[in-house]
Amino acid sequence: MNEKDIQQAQAVFEIAKGALDDNEWKYKCDEEKLSITCSSQGEDLPIDINIRVDAKRQLLLFTSLIPVTFPEEKIVEAAVAMAEINCHLIDGCFDLDLSSGRVFFRLTGSFLESLVTRAFFDYIMVTSLDTVDQFNDKLLMLAKGMMSLKDLGDMFRGPDDPQESE
């Protein structure tokens, strides 16, 4: 890794910290690992936030562990749910750890040979928080049997849905 990549990553890390400071977020950071952890209260569930700047790959990574664990007998249902949700997301994705049943949200943004602005970080943060808040309760209800896959799929169906006209 060259010095330019390290400097670019450190600049992105400072932008992230500055944005959080400006919005009066409480957070913990690891300057060596270029990582930040914090949390937010969503409409219904808390949102775990991990932000990491990857100097080697020139990426800003936002991840959030969703407070749900799918039991073994619901892993296939969980995988189908992740596929359904991910088909409708503009940015980011939900990932399912098949061995543990844990669900994560992940959104990455590349800053390779790019000018980095505060808007770059703000977009990743706002999009991630909104997406996690929109789906974390649905995933919890699905895991607990309070929502079916059909119910989840129906959330995405409407008059403008091309599947409706088939």
Side-chain angles (χ1 to χ4, degrees):
M1 187 168 24
N2 64 45
E3 186 62 31
K4 181 183 171 193
D5 289 348
I6 293 168
Q7 289 175 348
Q8 181 77 348
Q10 289 171 331
V12 171
F13 186 64
E14 292 303 319
I15 287 170
K17 289 191 317 183
L20 293 170
D21 289 340
D22 288 349
N23 289 300
E24 299 179 1
W25 281 71
K26 294 180 182 171
Y27 61 90
K28 294 179 184 174
C29 68
D30 183 327
E31 299 282 339
E32 279 186 35
K33 293 182 181 177
L34 299 178
S35 66
I36 300 168
T37 58
C38 54
S39 63
S40 177
Q41 180 58 49
E43 285 186 29
D44 37 37
L45 296 171
I47 300 172
D48 174 40
I49 301 165
N50 296 292
I51 301 161
R52 187 168 63 90
V53 177
D54 183 331
K56 184 177 181 179
R57 296 185 295 170
Q58 297 285 276
L59 293 174
L60 176 65
L61 297 101
F62 177 106
T63 57
S64 180
L65 174 63
I66 307 302
V68 60
T69 301
F70 281 89
E72 188 175 337
E73 65 273 9
K74 287 189 166 268
I75 289 294
V76 171
E77 189 174 340
V80 172
M82 300 300 115
E84 177 72 26
I85 293 169
N86 287 341
C87 281
H88 299 278
L89 297 181
I90 294 170
D91 264 333
C93 64
F94 285 92
D95 297 324
L96 173 66
D97 181 328
L98 295 174
S99 63
S100 69
R102 306 293 306 264
V103 177
F104 300 84
F105 177 78
R106 173 175 44 97
L107 193 151
T108 60
S110 173
F111 53 87
L112 180 64
E113 297 182 16
S114 300
L115 292 176
V116 177
T117 66
R118 164 79 182 267
F120 173 76
F121 177 78
D122 288 345
Y123 173 79
I124 287 177
M125 190 73 164
V126 169
T127 300
S128 297
L129 289 171
D130 286 348
T131 303
V132 169
D133 197 32
Q134 183 178 357
F135 293 105
N136 60 5
D137 59 327
K138 280 105 179 137
L139 292 167
L140 181 63
M141 290 190 299
L142 185 66
K144 292 186 176 233
M146 299 163 50
M147 175 183 261
S148 70
L149 273 175
K150 182 183 179 326
D151 295 336
L152 181 74
D154 287 348
M155 290 174 31
F156 301 106
R157 309 292 176 254
D160 296 332
D161 186 352
Q163 293 180 359
E164 290 292 316
S165 61
E166 292 178 358

